[in-house]
Amino acid sequence: MRPLRLRAAAASLPLQRRRICTDAAAATSSAASSSPSSPQQSAVKPLSSQFARTPAAGGPAVTDDLTSSLRALLASSPTHPRAFSLLRSAALSTRLPPDALVDAVLAAVDAGSPAAAPLLGSLLSWLSRAVRDYSAATAAYSHMVARGVVPDAKSRTDLLVVTARGASAADALALFDEMRGKGYPADAMMYDAVMRAFVKGGMQGDAVRLFDEMASAGVKPDERVYSLTIAALCKLRDADRAVQVLGEMKEAGFKPWDLTYNSVVDAFVKVGRMEDALRVKDQMLLATGKKMDVVLATILMDGYCLRGEVGKALEFFDEAVRDGVAPTNVTYGVLIKGCVAEGMPDKAYELCQQMIDQGMLSSTYEFNLVIKGLLRDKRWEGAISLLELVVDTGVPDIFTYNCLIHWLCQHHKLREALRLWDKMKEAGVKPSIVTYHSLLLGYCEKGSMDEALKLYSEMPGKGFTPNEVTYTTLMKGYIKKNAFDKAYALLNEMHQNGVSCNEYTYNILTNGLCMVDRVSEVDEMLKRFIREGFVPTTMTYNSIINGFVKAGMMGSAFSMYQQMCEKGITPNIVTYTSFIDGYCRTDCCDLAVKLLNDMRRKGIQPDIGAYNAFINGFCKQGNMSHALQFFVRLLKDGLKPDVTVYNSFITGYKNLKMMEEASKFYYGMVKERIVTDTAIYTTLIDGFSKVGNVAFAMDLYSEMLAKGNIPDDKTFTALIHGLCRCGEIDGARKLLDEMRRLDVGPNIFTYNMLINAYIRDSMLQEAFQLHDEMLNSGVVPDETTNDMLDSLKHVEASPPDAENPILSSAS
């Protein structure tokens, strides 16, 4: 920063320039009149009038006048202050080239004169500081050197600084090397100028190299150089060397800045050495006699979070707040990020709430982190509530809404997604194409293809051009509805609209044929796609092979495998896993084991999918001992069981009515912190309902809802079956209402079980009312429904059967 006196002088510069030029002209006139040989002049023009002219109009005359004025001023004193003012005015106000300015000075005084070096040094500094184009200062320096003048250290430093700013670190270093090559002495400020350029350009290693050269050059680093070097070493993550230089700095009598200490602490934090970071923190506080500030505290909290020790970070936060440290939004951001990463959405929510209460939530970054954390924990209602708290602040952006809407659509909560879509538009947040794709996904997942097409038709009018994601989402929706021909028709529409198909689009269609039980058409469709220019990949063949396997067509799967190999496409672990799954599905587990051994001989390590294929196959056979053997082999191979593996065991034991063993695997999941999904809960609920422990099944249902898992129609069917068997028809009826509240459509088996229960308890009116509700909801009665109602007059109350034939037919 300029000293106050210089800033004041700069503010009145135009006025001073006029006065200086007039005074210089008067001095020139006085000197001329005192000389007997000079002709009498009637009038003398001020130099300022000539400085305003361009060099082309009067360059030589301006130079001559400047030389004459300087000569006259310096004649009375070699350090005449007006000479410096005049030269400064000329350097800043005229368009004289740099070499002309230098020549004017050297024409007024001899190069060896005591006045030359100070004047030219000042000229170089003025050009360096005031002229944005560093080339002017460089040109002046070069001309001085050519004329035998050595600028002083200060002006050379100024030149190095302006070169580094205006050109590059490489140019600054070349100039510095040129100065040193000529034997000009260098000082710490010059090293600092070039080193700073290196650091700014991300060349920390070169900055440290220059620092190391200072000792051999006999130049002692100053406070700035030490601090800059330590900062560079910290960015290089060389914390040990940074501590060494920090010690040298203190030994040299310099007091390190707080920023310097913080850099060293941060360097240790970034390499995970918290103990060393805390040691440097203690040294800093002892040396400075200060309390820990929020910057240092935040760095240390970040260190704990990076090591996964979020609990310690939160303890440190509480301790710092008690000591009077006021957290910033950066502090909260570090803690929120750590909490979300470690699966602590409650604490992240609490910290976000503190930010809101203190009016510190100004960035969407922390807010969106909390939203994502809540959604990851399936707490979508909490996420929406948090959004509503700050909706008027403008913090939620399109990414916030997209995150929520996409999650809701993915998890079949379309009604809530559409409600949020309306709130987003009310808040003035404009949707993006991602928003439209999420809603399209929601409609397609729900099977509401008419609404999906309506939304799709709105996109161009809103400025969004449908792309491959748009069409592929619609294709998947039609395939899910078994309307493959409509999905395939979209391919032609893509071509007509100039949207290119990618590998994923073709794979969706080929896999779609398998999903709608048209596997026999897959080979012909693949050939058609190849004719259109599609180049099938491993993923393509794997998708087709898996489709054949799922359809039980192992011969066709093997033919596709041979075709794949003939085309030079190498099978991978996914290919082999599909065959293992197929052999296990068809009770050919011995062939699957042979294939596994063949994989090992080829150096292909089985993955979790391959092991689950074996485990699932043996569990379906009820051969739990063999399934457990593969579970042990899975662990020996260093793999971690996933939710699919646990579901296979839980389902296997449930089918054997060994619910105690099923519970052990469930609690094993909880211990391993594996998130339980809807399928796991439904399996357990069905199992406990069938063995008569409906109370525990209801507890599991409550736990399921508390953890954010959304029950499906199978979950409710299992619960209603259990309640009906126990004679708790009112509870079963309430669950039917719960289904509607959660937007889960009851199926025919659900209605049949309740109607059967009403008939059994002679509640005939309720049975007929439920039949009417079923018709109004669009569920078509089947033969079981009609048989029950037709035979009402023959029905008498009877005890529940051990196994409900309706549920058996449903499964």
Side-chain angles (χ1 to χ4, degrees):
M1 182 180 291
R2 291 185 183 179
L4 184 61
R5 180 175 59 81
L6 291 182
R7 291 205 308 271
S12 59
L13 190 59
L15 180 61
Q16 289 189 22
R17 287 176 183 166
R18 288 195 293 272
R19 189 184 72 244
I20 290 166
C21 293
T22 305
D23 292 346
T28 305
S29 176
S30 175
S33 63
S34 63
S35 174
S37 59
S38 298
Q40 187 70 26
Q41 296 180 356
S42 59
V44 180
K45 294 182 179 180
L47 285 177
S48 59
S49 63
Q50 298 189 38
F51 289 164
R53 294 199 294 268
T54 62
V62 174
T63 305
D64 291 342
D65 287 344
L66 178 59
T67 300
S68 299
S69 299
L70 289 173
R71 186 182 293 117
L73 290 169
L74 295 172
S76 59
S77 171
T79 58
H80 198 298
R82 290 186 177 176
F84 286 87
S85 299
L86 178 64
L87 183 59
R88 183 173 184 275
S89 179
L92 300 180
S93 302
T94 75
R95 297 182 183 179
L96 286 176
D99 55 348
L101 290 168
V102 174
D103 288 339
V105 174
L106 292 178
V109 294
D110 185 69
S113 169
L119 273 172
L120 291 174
S122 297
L123 173 64
L124 185 56
S125 292
W126 293 328
L127 290 174
S128 298
R129 294 177 181 178
V131 182
R132 291 184 179 180
D133 184 3
Y134 74 96
S135 60
T138 304
Y141 167 77
S142 300
H143 198 60
M144 290 178 195
V145 173
R147 294 290 303 268
V149 177
V150 180
D152 60 19
K154 179 178 177 301
S155 61
R156 282 184 279 122
T157 302
D158 289 339
L159 177 61
L160 282 172
V161 171
V162 75
T163 304
R165 289 176 181 171
S168 65
D171 290 333
L173 180 62
L175 179 60
F176 188 42
D177 288 340
E178 189 265 342
M179 290 177 179
R180 291 188 294 178
K182 291 183 180 297
Y184 300 162
D187 60 17
M189 291 183 66
M190 294 180 184
Y191 277 96
D192 177 76
V194 182
M195 288 171 63
R196 202 163 293 279
F198 278 129
V199 170
K200 183 179 178 182
M203 304 160 68
Q204 284 80 15
D206 292 301
V208 174
R209 178 179 57 79
L210 269 182
F211 171 78
D212 292 335
E213 289 179 9
M214 293 181 72
S216 59
V219 180
K220 292 184 178 180
D222 61 10
E223 186 179 28
R224 289 167 58 88
V225 170
Y226 273 122
S227 300
L228 190 63
T229 304
I230 292 169
L233 288 166
C234 290
K235 287 185 178 179
L236 291 169
R237 304 288 175 88
D238 192 350
D240 291 322
R241 177 76 195 282
V243 170
Q244 177 190 334
V245 176
L246 181 65
E248 294 172 6
M249 180 180 184
K250 290 190 283 189
E251 288 176 5
F254 297 111
K255 185 178 180 181
W257 305 328
D258 291 352
L259 180 63
T260 304
Y261 275 113
N262 289 346
S263 296
V264 178
V265 173
D266 187 58
F268 277 122
V269 160
K270 290 295 192 295
V271 295
R273 294 167 59 180
M274 280 301 296
E275 293 75 15
D276 291 313
L278 292 168
R279 177 175 51 79
V280 175
K281 181 263 296 184
D282 293 337
Q283 291 177 2
M284 170 188 175
L285 299 181
L286 181 65
T288 60
K290 299 178 180 178
K291 288 187 175 182
M292 182 169 55
D293 63 10
V294 66
V295 176
L296 181 59
T298 302
I299 290 171
L300 291 168
M301 291 176 210
D302 188 35
Y304 282 124
C305 290
L306 289 173
R307 292 205 338 182
E309 299 176 338
V310 181
K312 288 185 178 180
L314 293 169
E315 290 175 6
F316 197 85
F317 171 77
D318 293 336
E319 181 183 341
V321 171
R322 284 195 298 270
D323 289 344
V325 175
T328 65
N329 52 0
V330 177
T331 312
Y332 279 111
V334 164
L335 292 173
I336 287 172
K337 184 178 180 181
C339 289
V340 171
E342 291 301 309
M344 300 168 62
D346 286 332
K347 192 62 184 179
Y349 183 95
E350 179 186 331
L351 292 167
C352 185
Q353 186 67 58
Q354 290 179 25
M355 293 183 74
I356 294 170
D357 294 341
Q358 297 173 33
M360 297 175 63
L361 187 64
S362 58
S363 169
T364 59
Y365 175 72
E366 295 87 4
F367 184 74
N368 287 346
L369 275 178
V370 178
I371 294 293
K372 290 177 182 177
L374 289 170
L375 293 179
R376 193 178 304 160
D377 204 41
K378 300 180 181 179
R379 295 175 54 188
W380 60 273
E381 290 173 312
I384 292 177
S385 297
L386 185 62
L387 171 69
E388 290 173 347
L389 280 177
V390 297
V391 69
D392 295 331
T393 66
V395 169
D397 59 5
I398 183 58
F399 300 103
T400 315
Y401 285 101
N402 279 346
C403 183
L404 279 161
I405 290 173
H406 183 72
W407 190 93
L408 291 169
C409 290
Q410 262 190 330
H411 291 79
H412 312 287
K413 302 196 77 64
L414 180 61
R415 184 169 54 190
E416 286 77 8
L418 291 171
R419 189 179 296 123
L420 195 60
W421 159 267
D422 292 334
K423 289 183 178 180
M424 180 185 78
K425 291 187 286 187
E426 289 173 7
V429 178
K430 294 183 178 179
S432 67
I433 194 169
V434 176
T435 324
Y436 278 94
H437 286 161
S438 296
L439 291 174
L440 280 176
L441 174 65
Y443 281 126
C444 291
E445 286 292 318
K446 193 174 177 61
S448 304
M449 295 309 298
D450 290 340
E451 287 82 358
L453 284 177
K454 181 180 178 182
L455 188 68
Y456 158 72
S457 64
E458 291 176 3
M459 289 178 64
K462 300 293 184 180
F464 300 110
T465 303
N467 57 24
E468 63 274 8
V469 177
T470 317
Y471 287 108
T472 305
T473 303
L474 290 170
M475 287 176 185
K476 290 173 69 176
Y478 278 123
I479 289 170
K480 190 173 181 179
K481 295 272 288 185
N482 287 333
F484 180 82
D485 292 334
K486 290 184 177 180
Y488 187 72
L490 285 170
L491 186 64
N492 295 328
E493 189 172 333
M494 285 182 73
H495 291 318
Q496 292 171 4
N497 292 335
V499 180
S500 59
C501 300
N502 55 25
E503 179 186 0
Y504 185 63
T505 309
Y506 284 117
N507 288 339
I508 285 293
L509 288 171
T510 52
N511 193 46
L513 280 175
C514 301
M515 292 175 65
V516 298
D517 296 327
R518 291 167 61 176
V519 185
S520 58
E521 302 175 37
V522 168
D523 191 31
E524 184 59 35
M525 175 166 281
L526 178 61
K527 292 176 182 176
R528 190 186 317 163
F529 287 162
I530 292 173
R531 287 195 298 270
E532 293 176 2
F534 172 56
V535 179
T537 63
T538 305
M539 187 172 80
T540 310
Y541 281 103
N542 284 345
S543 178
I544 297 172
I545 288 170
N546 189 55
F548 282 129
V549 166
K550 294 270 178 73
M553 301 170 64
M554 296 302 294
S556 299
F558 187 73
S559 297
M560 194 59 63
Y561 169 79
Q562 289 178 314
Q563 185 184 135
M564 176 183 186
C565 295
E566 288 170 2
K567 290 184 176 293
I569 299 173
T570 305
N572 59 15
I573 181 63
V574 178
T575 318
Y576 289 109
T577 299
S578 290
F579 278 104
I580 289 172
D581 183 44
Y583 289 134
C584 290
R585 282 171 180 268
T586 53
D587 294 332
C588 298
C589 292
D590 52 338
L591 292 177
V593 172
K594 288 181 181 179
L595 184 59
L596 178 66
N597 295 331
D598 185 51
M599 285 171 56
R600 291 187 183 278
R601 283 193 297 270
K602 292 180 179 180
I604 301 175
Q605 184 68 20
D607 61 4
I608 193 70
Y611 276 112
N612 186 59
F614 281 106
I615 291 170
N616 188 50
F618 285 121
C619 285
K620 284 185 175 180
Q621 293 177 5
N623 192 342
M624 304 308 292
S625 60
H626 276 62
L628 288 170
Q629 288 176 16
F630 274 91
F631 186 76
V632 172
R633 291 175 68 174
L634 177 156
L635 296 174
K636 284 183 177 179
D637 279 352
L639 297 172
K640 186 177 180 180
D642 60 9
V643 66
T644 310
V645 172
Y646 281 102
N647 194 20
S648 294
F649 276 106
I650 291 171
T651 304
Y653 282 118
K654 183 214 73 166
N655 292 336
L656 295 173
K657 298 185 179 180
M658 299 172 66
M659 294 310 298
E660 185 176 347
E661 297 299 322
S663 297
K664 289 179 182 178
F665 273 92
Y666 166 68
Y667 291 120
M669 286 182 68
V670 175
K671 184 179 178 181
E672 294 295 325
R673 299 181 67 180
I674 297 174
V675 178
T676 310
D677 60 13
T678 299
I680 293 282
Y681 277 114
T682 300
T683 302
L684 288 167
I685 288 169
D686 186 36
F688 281 107
S689 294
K690 285 180 177 177
V691 297
N693 195 346
V694 181
F696 188 67
M698 290 300 296
D699 289 342
L700 285 170
Y701 172 71
S702 299
E703 179 184 314
M704 176 184 188
L705 293 176
K707 289 188 176 181
N709 286 279
I710 302 167
D712 56 18
D713 58 337
K714 293 180 181 178
T715 315
F716 283 107
T717 299
L719 277 172
I720 291 172
H721 176 211
L723 290 170
C724 288
R725 291 181 64 203
C726 294
E728 297 183 19
I729 304 178
D730 290 340
R733 175 67 197 217
K734 287 179 181 178
L735 281 177
L736 185 64
D737 296 334
E738 179 82 350
M739 290 181 74
R740 297 192 183 97
R741 187 183 70 82
L742 294 174
D743 200 24
V744 178
N747 55 40
I748 185 61
F749 306 109
T750 312
Y751 282 111
N752 283 350
M753 280 187 294
L754 274 168
I755 291 172
N756 182 56
Y758 279 133
I759 293 173
R760 184 192 62 204
D761 287 1
S762 300
M763 301 172 68
L764 305 185
Q765 184 177 356
E766 287 81 356
F768 280 115
Q769 285 178 351
L770 191 60
H771 175 260
D772 293 340
E773 287 181 22
M774 179 179 70
L775 295 175
N776 291 334
S777 65
V779 177
V780 179
D782 61 5
E783 291 183 4
T784 304
T785 320
N786 295 328
D787 289 343
M788 286 189 296
L789 295 174
D790 289 342
S791 61
L792 272 179
K793 58 184 177 180
H794 305 296
V795 173
E796 293 181 357
S798 59
D801 298 327
E803 287 292 337
N804 192 318
I806 298 173
L807 187 61
S808 300
S809 65
S811 60

